[in-house]
Short mmCIF file of all heavy atoms in Angstrom, two decimals:
data_model
loop_
_atom_site.label_atom_id
_atom_site.label_comp_id
_atom_site.label_asym_id
_atom_site.label_seq_id
_atom_site.Cartn_x
_atom_site.Cartn_y
_atom_site.Cartn_z
N ALA A 120 1.22 16.77 29.51
CA ALA A 120 1.43 17.56 30.78
C ALA A 120 2.92 17.61 31.10
O ALA A 120 3.47 18.65 31.56
CB ALA A 120 0.55 16.92 31.81
N LEU A 121 3.54 16.50 30.89
CA LEU A 121 5.04 16.44 31.24
C LEU A 121 5.78 17.24 30.33
O LEU A 121 6.70 17.96 30.89
CB LEU A 121 5.44 14.97 31.28
CG LEU A 121 6.92 14.73 31.40
CD1 LEU A 121 7.28 15.12 32.92
CD2 LEU A 121 7.32 13.27 31.18
N PHE A 122 5.48 17.26 29.09
CA PHE A 122 6.30 18.17 28.15
C PHE A 122 6.03 19.68 28.35
O PHE A 122 6.74 20.39 27.76
CB PHE A 122 5.99 17.63 26.67
CG PHE A 122 6.36 16.24 26.40
CD1 PHE A 122 5.62 15.54 25.55
CD2 PHE A 122 7.39 15.68 27.11
CE1 PHE A 122 5.87 14.17 25.33
CE2 PHE A 122 7.66 14.30 26.91
CZ PHE A 122 6.93 13.51 26.05
N SER A 123 4.94 20.01 28.93
CA SER A 123 4.74 21.36 29.14
C SER A 123 5.41 21.94 30.38
O SER A 123 5.54 23.04 30.70
CB SER A 123 3.30 21.68 29.37
OG SER A 123 2.78 21.22 30.63
N ARG A 124 6.03 20.98 31.19
CA ARG A 124 6.73 21.37 32.45
C ARG A 124 8.22 21.68 32.04
O ARG A 124 8.82 21.12 31.15
CB ARG A 124 6.75 20.14 33.53
CG ARG A 124 5.41 19.72 33.90
CD ARG A 124 4.54 20.74 34.41
NE ARG A 124 3.25 20.17 34.66
CZ ARG A 124 2.90 19.74 35.87
NH1 ARG A 124 3.74 19.84 36.87
NH2 ARG A 124 1.71 19.30 36.03
N LYS A 125 8.78 22.55 32.83
CA LYS A 125 10.19 22.89 32.55
C LYS A 125 11.04 22.10 33.39
O LYS A 125 11.03 22.05 34.54
CB LYS A 125 10.36 24.38 32.77
CG LYS A 125 11.72 24.94 32.30
CD LYS A 125 11.82 26.41 32.38
CE LYS A 125 13.17 26.91 32.04
NZ LYS A 125 13.64 26.50 30.78
N MET A 126 11.85 21.22 32.80
CA MET A 126 12.67 20.28 33.46
C MET A 126 13.80 19.77 32.67
O MET A 126 13.71 19.52 31.48
CB MET A 126 11.94 19.13 34.13
CG MET A 126 12.85 18.29 34.97
SD MET A 126 11.97 17.28 36.22
CE MET A 126 10.97 16.07 35.26
N GLU A 127 14.96 19.58 33.25
CA GLU A 127 16.11 18.91 32.73
C GLU A 127 16.14 17.56 33.33
O GLU A 127 16.05 17.42 34.55
CB GLU A 127 17.38 19.61 32.99
CG GLU A 127 17.47 21.09 32.51
CD GLU A 127 18.63 21.16 31.45
OE1 GLU A 127 19.42 20.26 31.30
OE2 GLU A 127 18.59 22.25 30.76
N LEU A 128 16.36 16.57 32.56
CA LEU A 128 16.33 15.10 33.01
C LEU A 128 17.58 14.51 32.61
O LEU A 128 17.89 14.63 31.34
CB LEU A 128 15.03 14.42 32.43
CG LEU A 128 14.48 13.31 32.96
CD1 LEU A 128 13.85 13.65 34.37
CD2 LEU A 128 13.33 12.84 32.11
N VAL A 129 18.29 13.76 33.37
CA VAL A 129 19.39 12.89 32.80
C VAL A 129 19.00 11.58 32.94
O VAL A 129 18.50 11.06 34.01
CB VAL A 129 20.80 13.19 33.39
CG1 VAL A 129 21.30 14.62 33.06
CG2 VAL A 129 20.71 13.18 34.88
N ILE A 130 19.24 10.81 31.97
CA ILE A 130 18.90 9.30 31.90
C ILE A 130 20.18 8.61 31.82
O ILE A 130 20.93 8.83 30.88
CB ILE A 130 18.04 8.93 30.72
CG1 ILE A 130 16.71 9.81 30.73
CG2 ILE A 130 17.73 7.53 30.60
CD1 ILE A 130 15.90 9.81 29.44
N VAL A 131 20.64 7.82 32.76
CA VAL A 131 21.97 7.39 32.81
C VAL A 131 21.94 5.86 33.11
O VAL A 131 20.88 5.32 33.65
CB VAL A 131 22.86 7.96 33.91
CG1 VAL A 131 23.26 9.39 33.60
CG2 VAL A 131 22.24 7.95 35.31
N GLY A 132 23.00 5.13 32.86
CA GLY A 132 22.99 3.69 33.18
C GLY A 132 24.06 3.04 32.24
O GLY A 132 24.53 3.75 31.27
N LEU A 133 24.27 1.80 32.48
CA LEU A 133 25.19 1.07 31.70
C LEU A 133 24.72 0.93 30.23
O LEU A 133 23.45 1.00 30.01
CB LEU A 133 25.61 -0.35 32.27
CG LEU A 133 26.09 -0.50 33.69
CD1 LEU A 133 26.21 -1.89 34.04
CD2 LEU A 133 27.37 0.27 33.70
N GLU A 134 25.63 0.79 29.35
CA GLU A 134 25.20 0.47 27.96
C GLU A 134 24.20 -0.72 27.91
O GLU A 134 24.49 -1.67 28.63
CB GLU A 134 26.46 0.29 27.19
CG GLU A 134 26.43 0.90 25.69
CD GLU A 134 27.78 0.51 24.99
OE1 GLU A 134 28.84 0.74 25.63
OE2 GLU A 134 27.72 0.15 23.88
N ASN A 135 23.30 -0.62 27.00
CA ASN A 135 22.37 -1.71 26.80
C ASN A 135 21.28 -1.87 27.82
O ASN A 135 20.44 -2.79 27.85
CB ASN A 135 23.05 -3.04 26.67
CG ASN A 135 23.33 -3.32 25.21
OD1 ASN A 135 22.47 -3.05 24.44
ND2 ASN A 135 24.47 -3.84 25.01
N ALA A 136 21.27 -0.97 28.91
CA ALA A 136 20.32 -1.04 30.03
C ALA A 136 18.98 -0.81 29.34
O ALA A 136 17.87 -1.32 30.07
CB ALA A 136 20.63 -0.07 31.12
N GLY A 137 18.73 0.05 28.41
CA GLY A 137 17.49 0.32 27.84
C GLY A 137 17.18 1.76 27.86
O GLY A 137 16.05 2.18 27.73
N LYS A 138 18.23 2.63 27.91
CA LYS A 138 17.93 4.10 28.15
C LYS A 138 17.37 4.65 26.84
O LYS A 138 16.39 5.43 26.96
CB LYS A 138 19.32 4.83 28.41
CG LYS A 138 20.06 4.34 29.67
CD LYS A 138 21.39 5.07 29.87
CE LYS A 138 22.37 4.71 28.76
NZ LYS A 138 22.74 3.18 28.80
N THR A 139 17.84 4.25 25.75
CA THR A 139 17.37 4.81 24.50
C THR A 139 15.89 4.38 24.31
O THR A 139 15.01 5.20 23.89
CB THR A 139 18.12 4.43 23.29
OG1 THR A 139 19.58 4.65 23.63
CG2 THR A 139 17.91 5.09 22.02
N THR A 140 15.67 3.12 24.59
CA THR A 140 14.30 2.56 24.42
C THR A 140 13.34 3.22 25.31
O THR A 140 12.19 3.62 24.93
CB THR A 140 14.29 1.01 24.69
OG1 THR A 140 15.47 0.39 24.00
CG2 THR A 140 13.04 0.41 24.32
N PHE A 141 13.80 3.61 26.65
CA PHE A 141 12.94 4.31 27.59
C PHE A 141 12.67 5.64 26.97
O PHE A 141 11.59 6.12 27.02
CB PHE A 141 13.59 4.40 28.85
CG PHE A 141 12.91 5.33 29.81
CD1 PHE A 141 11.67 4.98 30.41
CD2 PHE A 141 13.48 6.53 30.11
CE1 PHE A 141 10.94 5.89 31.06
CE2 PHE A 141 12.88 7.40 30.98
CZ PHE A 141 11.66 7.10 31.47
N LEU A 142 13.68 6.35 26.60
CA LEU A 142 13.54 7.78 26.12
C LEU A 142 12.60 7.75 24.87
O LEU A 142 11.64 8.60 24.89
CB LEU A 142 14.93 8.46 25.69
CG LEU A 142 14.87 9.81 25.44
CD1 LEU A 142 15.93 10.60 26.00
CD2 LEU A 142 14.81 10.06 23.96
N ASN A 143 12.83 6.88 23.98
CA ASN A 143 11.92 6.73 22.81
C ASN A 143 10.48 6.48 23.33
O ASN A 143 9.46 7.04 22.75
CB ASN A 143 12.40 5.76 21.82
CG ASN A 143 13.52 6.22 21.08
OD1 ASN A 143 13.79 7.38 21.01
ND2 ASN A 143 14.48 5.18 20.67
N GLN A 144 10.26 5.67 24.23
CA GLN A 144 9.09 5.27 24.75
C GLN A 144 8.19 6.56 25.25
O GLN A 144 7.00 6.71 25.00
CB GLN A 144 9.19 4.18 25.86
CG GLN A 144 7.85 3.58 26.28
CD GLN A 144 7.02 2.86 25.46
OE1 GLN A 144 6.02 3.25 24.87
NE2 GLN A 144 7.60 1.64 25.01
N ILE A 145 8.91 7.40 26.07
CA ILE A 145 8.19 8.56 26.63
C ILE A 145 8.22 9.71 25.63
O ILE A 145 7.39 10.53 25.73
CB ILE A 145 8.71 8.98 28.00
CG1 ILE A 145 10.11 9.52 28.00
CG2 ILE A 145 8.61 7.91 28.98
CD1 ILE A 145 10.42 10.30 29.23
N SER A 146 9.12 9.68 24.74
CA SER A 146 9.18 11.03 23.85
C SER A 146 8.32 10.77 22.61
O SER A 146 7.89 11.73 22.04
CB SER A 146 10.61 11.46 23.57
OG SER A 146 11.25 10.40 22.78
N GLN A 147 8.28 9.58 22.10
CA GLN A 147 7.49 9.33 20.84
C GLN A 147 6.21 8.50 21.18
O GLN A 147 5.42 8.36 20.25
CB GLN A 147 8.30 8.67 19.74
CG GLN A 147 9.11 9.70 18.99
CD GLN A 147 10.66 9.63 19.45
OE1 GLN A 147 11.03 8.61 19.99
NE2 GLN A 147 11.32 10.67 19.29
N GLY A 148 6.24 7.80 22.26
CA GLY A 148 5.04 7.01 22.63
C GLY A 148 5.40 5.62 22.04
O GLY A 148 4.52 4.65 22.26
N GLU A 149 6.52 5.38 21.38
CA GLU A 149 6.77 3.96 20.94
C GLU A 149 8.24 3.97 20.75
O GLU A 149 9.03 4.88 20.60
CB GLU A 149 6.12 3.78 19.53
CG GLU A 149 6.59 4.79 18.45
CD GLU A 149 5.78 4.52 17.10
OE1 GLU A 149 4.53 4.47 17.16
OE2 GLU A 149 6.45 4.47 16.12
N PRO A 150 8.79 2.76 20.89
CA PRO A 150 10.29 2.57 20.80
C PRO A 150 10.81 2.62 19.37
O PRO A 150 10.06 2.58 18.39
CB PRO A 150 10.58 1.15 21.43
CG PRO A 150 9.22 0.46 21.29
CD PRO A 150 8.11 1.51 21.27
N GLY A 151 12.11 2.97 19.16
CA GLY A 151 12.69 2.66 17.89
C GLY A 151 13.10 3.90 17.14
O GLY A 151 13.47 3.77 15.95
N GLN A 152 13.08 5.13 17.67
CA GLN A 152 13.56 6.32 16.84
C GLN A 152 14.91 6.67 17.25
O GLN A 152 15.39 6.46 18.42
CB GLN A 152 12.56 7.51 17.17
CG GLN A 152 11.13 7.36 16.90
CD GLN A 152 10.99 7.18 15.35
OE1 GLN A 152 11.51 8.11 14.60
NE2 GLN A 152 10.16 6.42 14.91
N PRO A 153 15.81 7.14 16.24
CA PRO A 153 17.03 7.49 16.68
C PRO A 153 17.08 8.81 17.55
O PRO A 153 16.35 9.67 17.42
CB PRO A 153 17.81 7.83 15.27
CG PRO A 153 16.54 8.12 14.40
CD PRO A 153 15.40 7.30 14.80
N VAL A 154 18.22 8.87 18.38
CA VAL A 154 18.30 9.95 19.34
C VAL A 154 19.48 10.71 18.99
O VAL A 154 20.69 10.06 18.79
CB VAL A 154 18.40 9.51 20.78
CG1 VAL A 154 18.55 10.63 21.65
CG2 VAL A 154 17.15 8.65 21.10
N PRO A 155 19.41 12.00 18.70
CA PRO A 155 20.69 12.81 18.18
C PRO A 155 21.77 12.79 19.33
O PRO A 155 21.46 12.80 20.57
CB PRO A 155 20.17 14.14 17.86
CG PRO A 155 18.77 14.19 18.34
CD PRO A 155 18.28 12.83 18.85
N THR A 156 23.01 12.73 18.79
CA THR A 156 24.07 12.76 19.77
C THR A 156 24.55 14.25 19.83
O THR A 156 24.64 14.94 18.85
CB THR A 156 25.32 12.00 19.25
OG1 THR A 156 24.76 10.62 19.13
CG2 THR A 156 26.58 12.05 20.14
N ILE A 157 24.84 14.72 21.10
CA ILE A 157 25.34 16.18 21.19
C ILE A 157 26.78 16.28 21.54
O ILE A 157 27.32 17.31 21.49
CB ILE A 157 24.49 16.98 22.25
CG1 ILE A 157 24.59 16.39 23.58
CG2 ILE A 157 22.97 17.26 21.69
CD1 ILE A 157 24.07 17.30 24.67
N GLY A 158 27.38 15.12 21.70
CA GLY A 158 28.85 15.20 21.94
C GLY A 158 29.34 14.12 22.79
O GLY A 158 28.54 13.56 23.74
N LEU A 159 30.60 13.69 22.70
CA LEU A 159 30.96 12.48 23.53
C LEU A 159 30.05 11.39 23.42
O LEU A 159 29.60 10.99 22.48
CB LEU A 159 31.39 12.95 24.94
CG LEU A 159 32.40 14.03 24.99
CD1 LEU A 159 32.67 14.61 26.39
CD2 LEU A 159 33.78 13.60 24.45
N ASN A 160 29.61 10.96 24.64
CA ASN A 160 28.59 9.88 24.75
C ASN A 160 27.35 10.41 25.28
O ASN A 160 26.59 9.68 25.97
CB ASN A 160 29.18 8.71 25.51
CG ASN A 160 29.59 9.11 26.94
OD1 ASN A 160 29.91 10.34 27.11
ND2 ASN A 160 29.62 8.31 27.88
N VAL A 161 27.11 11.67 25.03
CA VAL A 161 25.75 12.23 25.52
C VAL A 161 24.86 12.56 24.37
O VAL A 161 25.23 13.08 23.47
CB VAL A 161 26.03 13.68 26.32
CG1 VAL A 161 24.77 14.20 26.88
CG2 VAL A 161 26.92 13.34 27.56
N ARG A 162 23.63 12.07 24.61
CA ARG A 162 22.57 12.50 23.48
C ARG A 162 21.53 13.19 24.16
O ARG A 162 21.31 13.13 25.34
CB ARG A 162 22.04 11.06 22.95
CG ARG A 162 23.07 10.39 22.19
CD ARG A 162 22.82 8.91 22.02
NE ARG A 162 22.99 8.22 23.28
CZ ARG A 162 22.44 7.00 23.61
NH1 ARG A 162 21.65 6.45 22.74
NH2 ARG A 162 22.67 6.42 24.75
N GLN A 163 20.82 14.04 23.38
CA GLN A 163 19.87 14.94 24.02
C GLN A 163 18.49 14.96 23.19
O GLN A 163 18.57 14.96 21.86
CB GLN A 163 20.39 16.40 24.12
CG GLN A 163 19.41 17.24 24.73
CD GLN A 163 19.99 18.54 25.20
OE1 GLN A 163 21.08 19.05 24.56
NE2 GLN A 163 19.45 19.22 26.17
N VAL A 164 17.46 15.04 23.79
CA VAL A 164 16.20 15.27 23.06
C VAL A 164 15.40 16.33 23.91
O VAL A 164 15.32 16.30 25.14
CB VAL A 164 15.37 13.85 23.12
CG1 VAL A 164 13.94 14.12 22.63
CG2 VAL A 164 16.08 12.87 22.21
N GLN A 165 14.79 17.29 23.14
CA GLN A 165 13.99 18.23 23.64
C GLN A 165 12.47 17.97 23.34
O GLN A 165 12.24 17.72 22.06
CB GLN A 165 14.48 19.57 23.27
CG GLN A 165 13.74 20.74 23.83
CD GLN A 165 14.32 21.22 25.14
OE1 GLN A 165 15.53 21.12 25.24
NE2 GLN A 165 13.54 21.86 25.98
N LYS A 166 11.53 17.94 24.35
CA LYS A 166 10.17 17.74 24.04
C LYS A 166 9.44 18.82 24.79
O LYS A 166 9.42 18.82 26.01
CB LYS A 166 9.67 16.28 24.52
CG LYS A 166 9.92 15.24 23.60
CD LYS A 166 9.19 15.28 22.30
CE LYS A 166 8.05 14.47 22.17
NZ LYS A 166 7.43 14.30 20.94
N GLY A 167 9.01 19.77 24.02
CA GLY A 167 8.39 20.99 24.77
C GLY A 167 9.53 21.58 25.66
O GLY A 167 10.56 21.92 25.12
N ASN A 168 8.99 21.67 26.90
CA ASN A 168 9.95 22.36 27.79
C ASN A 168 10.86 21.30 28.60
O ASN A 168 11.67 21.66 29.33
CB ASN A 168 9.22 23.15 28.89
CG ASN A 168 8.61 24.46 28.36
OD1 ASN A 168 9.28 25.13 27.60
ND2 ASN A 168 7.35 24.73 28.74
N LEU A 169 10.67 20.14 28.25
CA LEU A 169 11.39 18.99 28.87
C LEU A 169 12.55 18.66 28.06
O LEU A 169 12.60 18.35 26.90
CB LEU A 169 10.48 17.70 28.97
CG LEU A 169 11.12 16.56 29.66
CD1 LEU A 169 11.35 16.90 31.12
CD2 LEU A 169 10.19 15.30 29.58
N SER A 170 13.79 18.67 28.68
CA SER A 170 15.00 18.47 28.05
C SER A 170 15.59 17.08 28.65
O SER A 170 15.73 17.03 29.85
CB SER A 170 15.96 19.61 28.30
OG SER A 170 17.34 19.13 28.05
N MET A 171 15.83 16.25 27.84
CA MET A 171 16.29 14.93 28.35
C MET A 171 17.68 14.59 27.70
O MET A 171 17.80 14.58 26.54
CB MET A 171 15.26 13.79 27.94
CG MET A 171 14.04 13.99 28.62
SD MET A 171 12.71 12.79 27.87
CE MET A 171 12.23 13.65 26.38
N LYS A 172 18.67 14.28 28.62
CA LYS A 172 19.97 13.86 28.25
C LYS A 172 20.28 12.52 28.60
O LYS A 172 19.94 12.01 29.59
CB LYS A 172 20.99 14.81 28.85
CG LYS A 172 20.95 16.22 28.41
CD LYS A 172 21.91 17.09 29.18
CE LYS A 172 21.72 18.52 28.88
NZ LYS A 172 22.09 19.45 30.04
N ILE A 173 20.94 11.64 27.73
CA ILE A 173 21.24 10.31 28.03
C ILE A 173 22.79 10.22 28.12
O ILE A 173 23.50 10.78 27.45
CB ILE A 173 20.89 9.44 26.78
CG1 ILE A 173 19.36 9.38 26.68
CG2 ILE A 173 21.30 8.00 27.06
CD1 ILE A 173 18.89 8.23 25.81
N TRP A 174 23.25 9.55 29.10
CA TRP A 174 24.54 9.33 29.46
C TRP A 174 24.87 7.89 29.69
O TRP A 174 24.18 7.30 30.57
CB TRP A 174 24.90 10.19 30.58
CG TRP A 174 26.39 10.18 30.96
CD1 TRP A 174 26.91 9.22 31.81
CD2 TRP A 174 27.43 11.08 30.63
NE1 TRP A 174 28.37 9.51 32.12
CE2 TRP A 174 28.57 10.62 31.35
CE3 TRP A 174 27.51 12.25 29.85
CZ2 TRP A 174 29.83 11.40 31.18
CZ3 TRP A 174 28.73 12.89 29.75
CH2 TRP A 174 29.89 12.33 30.34
N ASP A 175 25.79 7.28 28.93
CA ASP A 175 26.22 5.87 29.09
C ASP A 175 27.28 5.83 30.19
O ASP A 175 28.33 6.52 30.07
CB ASP A 175 26.76 5.33 27.86
CG ASP A 175 25.66 5.08 26.89
OD1 ASP A 175 24.63 4.57 27.08
OD2 ASP A 175 25.99 5.30 25.64
N LEU A 176 27.04 5.15 31.31
CA LEU A 176 27.98 4.98 32.19
C LEU A 176 28.78 3.74 32.05
O LEU A 176 28.47 2.79 31.54
CB LEU A 176 27.41 4.87 33.67
CG LEU A 176 26.65 6.12 34.17
CD1 LEU A 176 25.85 5.82 35.41
CD2 LEU A 176 27.59 7.25 34.36
N GLY A 177 29.96 3.68 32.51
CA GLY A 177 30.79 2.41 32.56
C GLY A 177 31.80 2.38 31.44
O GLY A 177 31.43 2.63 30.25
N GLY A 178 33.03 2.20 31.77
CA GLY A 178 34.07 1.98 30.82
C GLY A 178 34.41 3.20 30.07
O GLY A 178 35.16 3.05 28.96
N GLN A 179 33.97 4.28 30.52
CA GLN A 179 34.39 5.54 29.78
C GLN A 179 35.02 6.55 30.69
O GLN A 179 34.50 7.74 30.72
CB GLN A 179 33.18 6.13 29.06
CG GLN A 179 32.88 5.37 27.87
CD GLN A 179 31.28 5.22 27.68
OE1 GLN A 179 30.56 5.35 28.64
NE2 GLN A 179 30.87 4.94 26.48
#
Side-chain angles (χ1 to χ4, degrees):
L121 177 62
F122 301 144
S123 73
R124 309 297 177 98
K125 191 167 175 55
M126 181 158 66
E127 300 245 346
L128 203 65
V129 288
I130 302 167
V131 291
L133 301 180
E134 217 177 316
N135 268 321
K138 299 178 294 300
T139 312
T140 309
F141 167 72
L142 186 139
N143 287 331
Q144 184 66 251
I145 68 162
S146 59
Q147 278 100 25
E149 58 185 49
Q152 298 291 316
V154 179
T156 301
I157 57 164
L159 299 174
N160 54 338
V161 178
R162 290 159 288 160
Q163 181 166 29
V164 168
Q165 182 87 31
K166 281 291 264 188
N168 286 321
L169 181 68
S170 160
M171 296 171 279
K172 291 173 189 155
I173 293 193
W174 180 273
D175 288 317
L176 294 174
Q179 287 145 334

